[in-house]
Amino acid sequence: MAELTVDRTYGNALFEAASELDRIEEVEEELKALSEIFDENPSMVSLLNDPTFSAAEKKEVVRKIFEGRIMPEMLNFLYILIDKGRTRHFQRIAREYQKLRNQEEGFVAGTIYSVQPLAAPQLAKLEEETEKLIGRKVKLENKLDPSLLGGVRILADGRLIDASLKKRLESLGSQMLM
């Protein structure tokens, strides 16, 4: 529970700072880029979370890697996370920031799982259909799920919409047993 508070506190603080600077979208893009970098480089994440390295050493590594490549405000935010020992929360803070951005724009974030990547027109159509079902605007992120036989599963606003072939087959099997 305390971790949720940390994520919200830092996510809110970052969002407020970005709002004051009128750089909400830029910060969002940099958070996404940094999230990808951290996902692709687990050794960097390990170093940032390693208590045997001092905050000064960690900040020097971050400075050498990111200075001039990310906005100074984002670099300072990383320094704060290092100083406070909160680097392990980075991904969740980024998700909290995204959630706040979506709320401000009137959107609910969701995930659509499919076997293959969806084309932009397909994604737009599914967002439109999901909006009708849940009664709110939806932004869907497409993630691949090789366990699906076909169709899609959508998770948005705490609801699961299962339009997968597997679910349809299970329903058909249940009906046949009746």
Side-chain angles (χ1 to χ4, degrees):
M1 190 61 128
E3 289 185 354
L4 285 174
T5 303
V6 168
D7 305 342
R8 285 188 185 130
T9 300
Y10 283 85
N12 283 329
L14 183 60
F15 188 79
E16 286 177 25
S19 295
E20 288 175 16
L21 296 170
D22 197 27
R23 298 183 87 177
I24 293 172
E25 192 171 330
E26 291 169 84
V27 169
E28 178 182 25
E29 292 303 315
E30 288 202 354
L31 282 172
K32 286 180 185 176
L34 286 169
S35 290
E36 288 176 16
I37 290 168
F38 293 151
D39 284 344
E40 294 168 4
N41 297 287
S43 59
M44 181 188 301
V45 175
S46 293
L47 177 127
L48 292 175
N49 294 327
D50 190 334
T52 60
F53 290 98
S54 70
E57 291 170 315
K58 293 174 186 180
K59 286 170 30 177
E60 182 61 21
V61 168
V62 166
R63 186 190 63 74
K64 285 182 179 178
I65 294 171
F66 294 115
E67 190 173 54
R69 294 189 173 121
I70 61 175
M71 65 175 79
E73 295 85 3
M74 187 58 68
L75 189 60
N76 287 335
F77 182 69
L78 290 175
Y79 291 162
I80 290 168
L81 294 180
I82 291 168
D83 286 338
K84 300 292 184 181
R86 304 292 195 210
T87 53
R88 65 187 169 90
H89 293 268
F90 181 84
Q91 299 289 13
R92 292 188 305 268
I93 292 168
R95 282 192 294 275
E96 185 67 28
Y97 183 95
Q98 181 65 54
K99 188 171 131 186
L100 291 167
R101 169 83 195 274
N102 289 339
Q103 285 175 353
E104 183 175 272
E105 301 223 345
F107 285 94
V108 170
T111 306
I112 183 166
Y113 298 94
S114 61
V115 177
Q116 296 179 339
L118 298 173
Q122 290 174 304
L123 190 58
K125 183 170 175 37
L126 289 164
E127 284 176 338
E128 192 177 297
E129 290 176 14
T130 304
E131 286 173 13
K132 290 176 188 173
L133 286 171
I134 67 172
R136 296 180 69 190
K137 286 185 170 189
V138 178
K139 270 188 186 177
L140 294 175
E141 178 186 359
N142 188 201
K143 291 189 178 181
L144 301 183
D145 183 352
S147 72
L148 290 173
L149 300 173
V152 296
R153 271 193 340 240
I154 300 170
L155 183 60
D157 200 26
R159 299 177 193 170
L160 176 64
I161 302 165
D162 196 341
S164 66
L165 183 57
K166 182 178 178 181
K167 179 68 175 176
R168 287 187 225 155
L169 290 172
E170 287 172 359
S171 294
L172 182 61
S174 295
Q175 289 175 1
M176 291 174 71
L177 292 174
M178 293 179 144

